[in-house]
Amino acid sequence: MSPLAGPCASPSWSDLPIDLLLIILERLELPHALAFAAVCTTWSSAATAAGVPRSRTPWIMSWGNHVDKRLDERRRSAVTCNLYHPGDAVDKIYSVSFPKGSFVACYGASHGWLVLANDLSNLVLHNPVTLAMIPLPPITDFACVEAVYGSEGGNLEHYLLETNSRFEAYRLGIWFYQKAVLSCSPSRGGDYVVMIIHNNGERLSFAKAGQSRWQVASTLSGGDRYLDRAYHKGRFHAVTLHGMVEKWDLDGASNGPTREVIYAARPYGGLGCILTRHLVSTPWGDLLQVRAILARHYPDGIAFQIFKVDPDGCKGVVQGNVLMDHALFLGLNHSACLPTQNLPGIRPHCIYFSAPVIIHAFDWLLGLRVWGGVRTYDVKTGKFERTVPFCDVKEQIYGLFPSEVWITQNL
């Protein structure tokens, strides 16, 4: 008889007792817990019992515990962010850590990847599950930014903008970028494109996979500014504060990107103030524009209006099953429309909202008590309620420095 035969033969990691696996899971950050769940059926069952969300489940990442820290302190240390799932108990918190100097600010989440500014104000793509990082072209590639070094080619001292404004290297990104969106996931390889809103929302620029330069696509004037972009049917679309909707072809012409105006800008004629506009590409092929407005007659003073973007303009969507049993996730992230049947804790006909960068409505936000943090808007009832805990800091409530972002995958 073989000495390995018998009850103790061929021990396997999958044979570890469930109580030990649960103890291990309690000590893991979310990226490692997700990797843990993918090892085998037994470990996956233990992760489910521990409440670890599936990798495709939307979650909110919050760095609110770092917002009130000095920026120079944040750049000199590793940053640990909290992760919440809206279907979990409020005290169920996961975490994810970032290396020193890699997370000074966040400007987007797209196809499961975060867009971060590091301590040099350069943008970096970061996958919080695999921990992969992809550097994007440096901020000094923009003609309006000049790097100033010490004598005899020493260390970087500061940046100068074309307005002669001076910024320490790690501070410039806070004001320079507003939001970034990817055309597809870099995890799949291929020719993904990153498009960013920057310079106080007045400029739209992009960089293609493997390229080392930013290309400026558009510069606005006259008080208008870009608020959001979406990648829809192979083209980037953009929406501005004044309601202009554009479609961009980044490859169609030899002399650079071309723009088609689908809907011209026009003053908002309704009551209240436009707070945000978002573009959402739906699984059924529509492009939606969703705008948040001040509406004193609504339960919480905020209303969301949904419009379908057609080639001949924007049309209001008839109320009812407007989202077709889907939910919207809006904020700093690329706007997502996801089916809810396989997402425990996510309600259909709801907008899950985290405040993006908002500068144009600062005076309105000063007196708005229900703004900031992560909230859910019920399309049918108009109720705008808090979803998960958030850090109650002045800057975040006013929308100048958002501290949450939705991380969603393509389902």
Side-chain angles (χ1 to χ4, degrees):
M1 181 177 179
S2 169
L4 294 179
C8 296
S10 303
S12 169
W13 288 105
S14 62
D15 297 326
L16 290 174
I18 188 70
D19 55 346
L20 178 57
L21 294 176
L22 293 176
I23 291 173
I24 294 172
L25 280 165
E26 289 177 357
R27 288 162 170 78
L28 297 181
E29 292 189 348
L30 183 59
H32 303 110
L34 293 172
F36 181 104
V39 170
C40 63
T41 302
T42 302
W43 288 29
S44 177
S45 299
T48 299
V52 176
R54 294 171 299 167
S55 61
R56 290 184 176 273
T57 300
W59 62 79
I60 194 78
M61 186 181 78
S62 172
W63 54 99
N65 55 323
H66 295 281
V67 170
D68 57 352
K69 293 182 179 179
R70 292 173 56 88
L71 284 176
D72 56 352
E73 177 185 349
R74 198 188 312 175
R75 73 184 177 99
R76 295 178 187 275
S77 60
V79 171
T80 299
C81 297
N82 293 329
L83 289 158
Y84 305 90
H85 179 256
D88 290 340
V90 294
D91 58 348
K92 185 67 173 179
I93 303 174
Y94 308 93
S95 60
V96 60
S97 297
F98 300 87
K100 180 177 67 174
S102 67
F103 190 126
V104 175
C106 178
Y107 295 100
S110 193
H111 302 283
W113 289 72
L114 298 168
V115 185
L116 308 177
N118 63 18
D119 56 357
L120 294 177
S121 289
N122 294 328
L123 294 181
V124 178
L125 301 180
H126 181 97
N127 190 310
V129 176
T130 66
L131 307 183
M133 300 182 73
I134 302 175
L136 296 177
I139 195 170
T140 50
D141 189 55
F142 293 103
C144 60
V145 178
E146 177 187 355
V148 177
Y149 294 89
S151 58
E152 300 180 359
N155 295 328
L156 175 65
E157 291 189 345
H158 57 268
Y159 292 126
L160 280 179
L161 291 184
E162 57 190 359
T163 58
N164 289 325
S165 299
R166 172 176 170 172
F167 289 87
E168 293 177 86
Y170 64 93
R171 289 184 180 273
L172 177 56
I174 296 293
W175 303 102
F176 191 78
Y177 308 112
Q178 281 74 61
K179 187 174 180 179
V181 167
L182 290 164
S183 61
C184 61
S185 172
S187 302
R188 300 177 181 177
D191 298 326
Y192 65 89
V193 180
V194 185
M195 182 166 272
I196 64 171
I197 297 172
H198 61 103
N199 280 58
N200 201 29
E202 295 176 353
R203 296 182 184 179
L204 201 64
S205 297
F206 67 95
K208 297 181 179 181
Q211 293 186 348
S212 59
R213 300 192 64 82
W214 290 107
Q215 299 182 60
V216 177
S218 176
T219 301
L220 291 177
S221 59
D224 204 1
R225 66 188 69 200
Y226 289 105
L227 295 185
D228 198 17
R229 288 94 53 254
Y231 194 71
H232 178 70
K233 296 183 177 180
R235 296 286 184 268
F236 274 105
H237 293 67
V239 64
T240 72
L241 173 62
H242 293 169
M244 179 170 61
V245 179
E246 306 170 334
K247 180 168 68 174
W248 286 91
D249 184 351
L250 304 183
D251 303 302
S254 58
N255 59 346
T258 58
R259 182 187 71 156
E260 176 187 349
V261 176
I262 298 176
Y263 191 73
R266 63 186 61 185
Y268 174 59
L271 300 175
C273 168
I274 293 286
L275 297 176
T276 68
R277 293 183 192 263
H278 297 269
L279 292 179
V280 190
S281 181
T282 70
W284 54 91
D286 287 344
L287 179 64
L288 302 179
Q289 181 192 148
V290 183
R291 65 188 186 194
I293 65 170
L294 286 178
R296 302 300 183 187
H297 57 289
Y298 271 66
D300 300 291
I302 299 291
F304 284 80
Q305 300 172 329
I306 302 176
F307 298 83
K308 179 180 176 180
V309 179
D310 285 330
D312 57 347
C314 295
K315 299 179 180 179
V317 177
V318 177
Q319 296 301 312
N321 190 14
V322 55
L323 298 180
M324 299 188 183
D325 297 321
H326 286 59
L328 302 183
F329 294 82
L330 308 180
L332 273 179
N333 57 295
H334 91 269
S335 304
C337 178
L338 302 180
T340 58
Q341 65 266 27
N342 295 320
L343 297 177
I346 302 299
R347 294 152 44 195
H349 316 295
C350 285
I351 297 173
Y352 289 83
F353 182 80
S354 62
V357 176
I358 298 177
I359 300 174
H360 61 274
F362 177 77
D363 292 339
W364 291 93
L365 295 176
L366 286 176
L368 197 59
R369 298 292 182 181
V370 297
W371 194 258
V374 182
R375 297 177 180 269
T376 303
Y377 181 85
D378 190 308
V379 173
K380 293 184 175 180
T381 66
K383 186 66 177 176
F384 192 44
E385 57 189 358
R386 191 177 302 172
T387 302
V388 296
F390 71 100
C391 182
D392 189 11
V393 295
K394 180 178 180 181
E395 292 86 355
Q396 183 245 356
I397 289 178
Y398 290 170
L400 294 181
F401 301 106
S403 61
E404 292 96 9
V405 66
W406 285 106
I407 303 176
T408 62
Q409 306 280 348
N410 289 338
L411 299 185

